[in-house]
Amino acid sequence: RCVMFDTAMRNGADRRHLVETALRDAIDHDTLLVRYQPIIELASGRVTGVEALARCRFRGEEMTPDEFIPIAEETGLIIPLGALVLRQACAQVAEWQRTIPGLEQLGVAVNRSARELMTEGSPLDVSAALTSSGLRPGDLCLEITESVLLKDGGASARALTEIRRLGVRIAVDDFGTGYSSLTYLKEFPVDILKIDRTFVWGLGPTVDDPGDLAIVAGVIDLAHAFGLTATAEGVETSAQLGRLKQLGCELAQGYFLGVPMTAEETTVWLVQAQSRVTPPARRSIGAQDDDGRRRVLVVDDDRSARTLLCLAFEGRDGFDVVAAASDGREAVALARHHRPDVVLLDLAMPGLGGLAALPLIRAVAPGADVIIVSSLDTGEVDRQLAASGARGFVAKGGDPERMHEAVMRILEGADDSLLVVAD
């Protein structure tokens, strides 16, 4: 027979063998590198967590995951590699929680492959990492790709459900790049959708790509419709960040916000970040402030109407206006962040209107009393109030004092009718 020698093939085989050897050595001697990339909450600018990213050094060179992860998958090394990254990441984040003031709620995201997820001892590995580190289960998020969910739906569902029972959160990574299915969002215990960087890159900096803009907006709305959190990956410009805020995206990560760093570099970065941003205190769903005051979110696309509503409630009779939104998407993001007790919601707004935003607001802030404040025909609104879940309706008009009185009558149950006219 005739065989043609190919130098590139031999070099590739040699490289693969050396990479596998480097991986085995890093696992055996616990020298695997872990880098951490910050995850930022867009509404407040504060750090909510980090993503742990595995790295491996070979002959003084730091290899990318694209090179060594496929080899780890083929050889089965992905299982001890993943367990090592999980233990290191949980221990490191637990240490940051203990030593850096204000980061007691810091979370960590760790990637989990299909092979790891389907391993019989996967839930035990997760539980052991949490126990040894002292990290709270709710502060750990396991990231999986769409292909993992579609490979063996029944087995994936059982594995994820068992892990979810520990209190660990689940994120779908690179959403939109695979065979996206709404079915698994309903059937699997998912908490977060991560928008792939290839779509985020199309947002700005000068003109948005219409296709990417539509996909990103659609994924964010889809996440909110299922009561999930939307996270954008690959944010590299201020224009992309601004557009994501406008679309109501809750979380983001990327080189513009913070590059993957060593644990030592991340420690310095986190301390500096804490000095720039004072994180708001966490509050439970439906809870009022410590002094018993109701927190109000005002939603109206008309600036003068927003101002009027804010004047009607700010600091009066146990109310505090915590935020004001100009459209439905912004309202959902602010409701998720502030967990208001009362939402004053306009109906006719460009983009995501009030009626479309209302179930999303209720999903992220289920303890809130939503009151429609609109100049639309009251008869039309009355027919939709019961189905929408709103507490009542106040027709626009009158001075701030009468608006305030009308809302108070609804909240106190003084009116049998859902309709109250502030005149």
Side-chain angles (χ1 to χ4, degrees):
R1 62 178 180 171
C2 179
V3 179
M4 181 173 291
F5 174 77
D6 190 328
T7 304
M9 291 178 62
R10 186 187 69 177
N11 292 341
D14 289 344
R15 175 74 177 183
R16 185 185 185 285
H17 174 71
L18 292 173
V19 169
E20 181 180 343
T21 302
L23 273 175
R24 293 186 184 278
D25 184 70
I27 294 170
D28 292 342
H29 297 90
D30 198 6
T31 58
L32 193 73
L33 306 175
V34 180
R35 300 288 183 256
Y36 300 92
Q37 185 173 38
I39 301 172
I40 308 298
E41 184 177 61
L42 297 185
S44 65
R46 70 185 186 92
V47 187
T48 64
V50 294
E51 181 177 359
L53 304 167
R55 298 291 187 268
C56 185
R57 193 173 295 279
F58 169 68
R59 293 181 177 177
E61 170 194 352
E62 190 172 299
M63 295 183 289
T64 64
D66 291 341
E67 182 172 16
F68 68 83
I69 291 297
I71 296 175
E73 288 272 11
E74 294 173 15
T75 59
L77 292 173
I78 191 67
I79 295 174
L81 183 151
L84 185 58
V85 172
L86 183 63
R87 290 197 302 270
Q88 283 192 27
C90 288
Q92 181 62 71
V93 171
E95 180 181 342
W96 284 327
Q97 289 180 343
R98 292 190 298 267
T99 58
I100 303 179
L103 291 184
E104 294 80 10
Q105 302 287 340
L106 188 71
V108 60
V110 181
N111 291 282
R112 206 74 170 164
S113 70
R115 193 159 184 173
E116 291 174 275
L117 185 66
M118 298 305 176
T119 301
E120 186 176 347
S122 181
L124 295 177
D125 289 341
V126 175
S127 180
L130 292 170
T131 301
S132 62
S133 65
L135 188 72
R136 294 182 296 269
D139 293 333
L140 173 63
C141 177
L142 296 183
E143 295 189 0
I144 56 176
T145 60
E146 293 174 295
S147 59
V148 173
L149 301 178
L150 298 174
K151 183 168 292 186
D152 187 340
S156 297
R158 288 189 294 272
L160 289 175
T161 300
E162 193 170 348
I163 291 175
R164 192 66 179 81
R165 287 198 187 104
L166 299 173
V168 176
R169 294 174 296 147
I170 305 296
V172 178
D173 199 10
D174 302 334
F175 185 81
T177 60
Y179 298 97
S180 303
S181 171
L182 300 184
T183 302
Y184 66 66
L185 293 183
K186 182 178 68 174
E187 296 180 352
F188 290 86
V190 176
D191 301 281
I192 298 171
L193 290 187
K194 299 196 73 173
I195 307 168
D196 188 69
R197 66 187 68 244
T198 56
F199 304 127
V200 174
W201 289 343
L203 304 183
T206 53
V207 179
D208 292 322
D209 179 277
D212 288 340
L213 179 61
I215 291 173
V216 172
V219 173
I220 293 172
D221 288 346
L222 182 65
H224 294 163
F226 280 92
L228 310 179
T229 298
T231 301
E233 299 180 291
V235 178
E236 296 187 353
T237 68
S238 60
Q240 293 169 354
L241 190 67
R243 177 61 78 182
L244 289 167
K245 286 182 181 180
Q246 293 174 355
L247 294 175
C249 187
E250 288 90 355
L251 305 175
Q253 62 187 96
Y255 279 29
F256 180 76
L257 301 168
V259 301
M261 298 169 280
T262 65
E264 294 76 15
E265 292 169 339
T266 307
T267 301
V268 175
W269 191 95
L270 289 171
V271 171
Q272 293 175 343
Q274 285 304 99
S275 67
R276 295 191 297 267
V277 178
T278 302
R282 289 285 184 179
R283 58 195 298 274
S284 59
I285 296 176
Q288 295 179 344
D289 287 340
D290 293 338
D291 59 1
R293 303 180 71 83
R294 286 189 174 110
R295 296 158 61 87
V296 180
L297 169 62
V298 174
V299 186
D300 200 308
D301 64 309
D302 184 273
R303 179 175 298 184
S304 61
R306 287 200 308 273
T307 302
L308 181 66
L309 289 170
C310 289
L311 288 173
F313 291 93
E314 180 56 46
R316 301 180 58 188
D317 294 339
F319 290 98
D320 280 324
V321 178
V322 295
S326 59
D327 59 39
R329 285 198 181 97
E330 187 181 9
V332 174
L334 291 174
R336 182 186 293 274
H337 175 63
H338 291 285
R339 302 291 176 88
D341 305 300
V342 179
V343 179
L344 304 178
L345 180 65
D346 185 28
L347 290 183
M349 295 183 290
L352 190 66
L355 281 179
L358 199 153
L360 307 182
I361 293 172
R362 293 188 62 81
V364 299
D369 287 318
V370 181
I371 297 176
I372 302 299
V373 181
S374 178
S375 57
L376 295 180
D377 176 67
T378 56
E380 174 63 24
V381 175
D382 191 26
R383 288 189 288 272
Q384 302 181 47
L385 277 175
S388 70
R391 180 72 180 272
F393 170 85
V394 175
K396 283 184 180 180
D399 58 30
E401 183 66 32
R402 294 190 179 279
M403 294 287 293
H404 177 271
E405 291 175 358
V407 171
M408 286 297 294
R409 292 204 302 273
I410 293 174
L411 293 175
E412 294 172 357
D415 281 85
D416 294 333
S417 171
L418 290 172
L419 296 173
V420 179
V421 180
D423 54 19

